[in-house]
Amino acid sequence: MYHHIFNVPGVHYGETITIVHFGDLQMGTEGFCKEAWQEFRNETKSDKNTYFIGHGDYEDWLRPSMRARLYGSLSHDDSARKQLDDRVRKYQDDVIDKMDFMRGKIIGFCKGHHDFEFITGMSSTQRLAEALGATYLGWQSSIRLILARKTHDEKQGRSTYAYTMVVTHGNANARRVGASTLWLENNLMQGWVADQYVMGHGCKSAAWAPVERHTVRRLGPPGEIITIPRCMIIGGFSKGYTNGWETSYVERSGFVPQPIMWGLVRIKICKKKAIADSRGINRYTDILDIENVNKGPGAQAFLYEGGA
C-alpha cells in the first residue's frame, strides 16, 4: 500500500475544494464514451479549486490473463517486444494529451487491471503519472489532504486541516451495486480508519455513509468523538452495451448496463456549532463540511413514441 500527502494551497473560509475521482475510461475501445469525457473535461478544467485522483484502467492494454500469454510468447524476442512497446507508447501519448488539462492539479494515479508493462519494468500508469507530473499511487494508497486556511488579507493562516482517504482501483466485479458496496465495506473499512473510501473497477456508482463511527476519547473528559466515514464507487466512462453496432464482452457475460459516472468530494471549511456540540468537540472549532456525490453527463435523452 502506498502513502501520499497532498497539500492544497491556501483555502479561504467557506471556499469549496472539489476532489474529482475518475477511472475505467478504457480509451481505445468501442465502448469509450468520447462525449461524456468531453463534458467531464469542460466541467472540471476551469475551476482552480478542483483536483483529480485517477482510479485505473485509463486505456485498454488487455486483461491480465491475456497479457501473461502475450508476454510469454515474446519472452525470447526482445526486438518484437521493443516494437510492441513503441506502439503502446505512441498510442499512450494520445491518452496523455487528452488528460493534459489536469496537469498541475492531479493528486495521483492508481493502477488498474488493464496496465501495460514495458520491457524497462515501467508500467503504463507510471508513465502516465510521470508525463503529467503526478504521483503514482500503486494499486491502493492512503492520502492525507492538508488544507491550510488563508486569512482575509491573503496570508497563510496558522490553521490547517487534514482529510484522509483510502483510494484503490478495487477488485469487486459483482453484477449488482449492493455486492460492490459490501466488498468496499468489508475489505477497506474493516482494515483502515479514514474519512473517505473510494473505489473504481466495476463501472458501478454509489455514494453512501454506512456507519456513524464512535471513538472513545483518549484525552480530556470522558466520552466519545463521533465521525461519519464516507464511501464512494465512482463508475466509469466505458459503455458496456453499444447501440446497434457491436456485441461487447459485457453483453456476452450478461452484466447489467451501468450509467457513465465519476465521483465528486466537495470539502468546505466552516463553523457549525450545533453539529460540533453533538459530536463532542469544541463548538468554536472549524468543521470540514463534506459532500459526497456521483456525477454523470448532464444531458438525458427521452424518446416518446406515439400518443400526444
Side-chain angles (χ1 to χ4, degrees):
M1 184 172 180
Y2 285 61
H3 303 285
H4 180 43
I5 296 176
F6 185 82
N7 290 285
V8 178
V11 181
H12 288 289
Y13 193 81
E15 188 176 35
T16 298
I17 302 298
T18 302
I19 311 300
V20 180
H21 296 264
F22 71 99
D24 290 279
L25 282 67
Q26 298 189 20
M27 289 186 184
T29 64
E30 291 289 343
F32 171 61
C33 187
K34 298 177 182 178
E35 296 80 11
W37 179 252
Q38 186 64 36
E39 183 168 340
F40 169 82
R41 179 180 180 275
N42 292 340
E43 283 193 6
T44 59
K45 69 176 182 178
S46 59
D47 187 352
K48 69 181 181 68
N49 290 327
T50 294
Y51 300 88
F52 300 87
I53 297 176
H55 286 259
D57 287 357
Y58 314 103
E59 315 95 349
D60 185 24
W61 306 125
L62 301 174
R63 296 183 299 278
S65 58
M66 295 296 293
R67 285 203 307 272
R69 297 176 190 175
L70 177 62
Y71 295 162
S73 65
L74 298 178
S75 60
H76 300 293
D77 193 338
D78 289 348
S79 177
R81 183 64 195 277
K82 288 177 181 177
Q83 290 180 45
L84 177 62
D85 283 9
D86 289 342
R87 287 178 178 272
V88 171
R89 288 191 189 95
K90 183 176 180 181
Y91 176 78
Q92 194 183 38
D93 286 344
D94 182 59
V95 175
I96 292 168
D97 288 342
K98 285 182 171 65
M99 293 189 180
D100 193 66
F101 70 94
M102 304 179 193
R103 186 183 296 274
K105 302 173 72 177
I106 305 168
I107 296 173
F109 285 114
C110 291
K111 68 175 291 186
H113 287 95
H114 293 249
D115 258 24
F116 183 87
E117 184 176 322
F118 298 98
I119 198 171
T120 60
M122 174 182 279
S123 73
S124 54
T125 300
Q126 288 173 316
R127 184 174 185 266
L128 178 67
E130 183 181 80
L132 293 174
T135 297
Y136 174 68
L137 300 176
W139 183 264
Q140 180 172 309
S141 178
S142 72
I143 297 175
R144 188 196 311 163
L145 294 180
I146 302 296
L147 297 91
R149 184 157 67 86
K150 274 188 176 181
T151 57
H152 292 294
D153 58 2
E154 295 295 319
K155 293 182 179 179
Q156 194 87 355
R158 293 183 178 180
S159 298
T160 58
Y161 311 85
Y163 190 73
T164 59
M165 297 183 177
V166 174
V167 300
T168 183
H169 178 63
N171 267 316
N173 196 24
R175 294 177 183 271
R176 300 295 180 185
V177 175
S180 294
T181 60
L182 184 62
W183 187 97
L184 188 152
E185 291 182 30
N186 287 341
N187 292 278
L188 297 185
M189 284 194 65
Q190 293 295 321
W192 290 270
V193 177
D195 299 310
Q196 181 95 41
Y197 306 85
V198 188
M199 181 179 78
H201 176 54
C203 291
K204 309 292 192 300
S205 52
W208 75 106
V211 297
E212 184 180 74
R213 183 174 283 152
H214 293 239
T215 303
V216 177
R217 285 180 172 273
R218 294 177 180 271
L219 297 173
E224 57 189 17
I225 295 174
I226 303 171
T227 57
I228 302 175
R230 290 166 170 81
C231 299
M232 180 182 290
I233 301 175
I234 61 171
F237 288 82
S238 181
K239 296 183 292 186
Y241 286 74
T242 56
N243 189 15
W245 71 83
E246 184 185 43
T247 299
S248 70
Y249 80 91
V250 175
E251 193 172 342
R252 290 191 295 271
S253 299
F255 287 112
V256 177
Q258 296 295 323
I260 290 172
M261 289 281 178
W262 54 90
L264 301 176
V265 177
R266 299 188 179 105
I267 306 173
K268 182 167 59 176
I269 302 172
C270 61
K271 276 187 171 65
K272 293 187 177 181
K273 295 180 181 179
I275 292 178
D277 289 343
S278 69
R279 296 185 186 173
I281 59 179
N282 189 312
R283 66 189 325 231
Y284 298 103
T285 301
D286 290 339
I287 287 177
L288 295 183
D289 186 47
I290 309 297
E291 184 181 11
N292 183 49
V293 297
N294 291 108
K295 180 73 168 63
Q300 177 69 52
F302 292 93
L303 177 64
Y304 295 91
E305 295 182 356

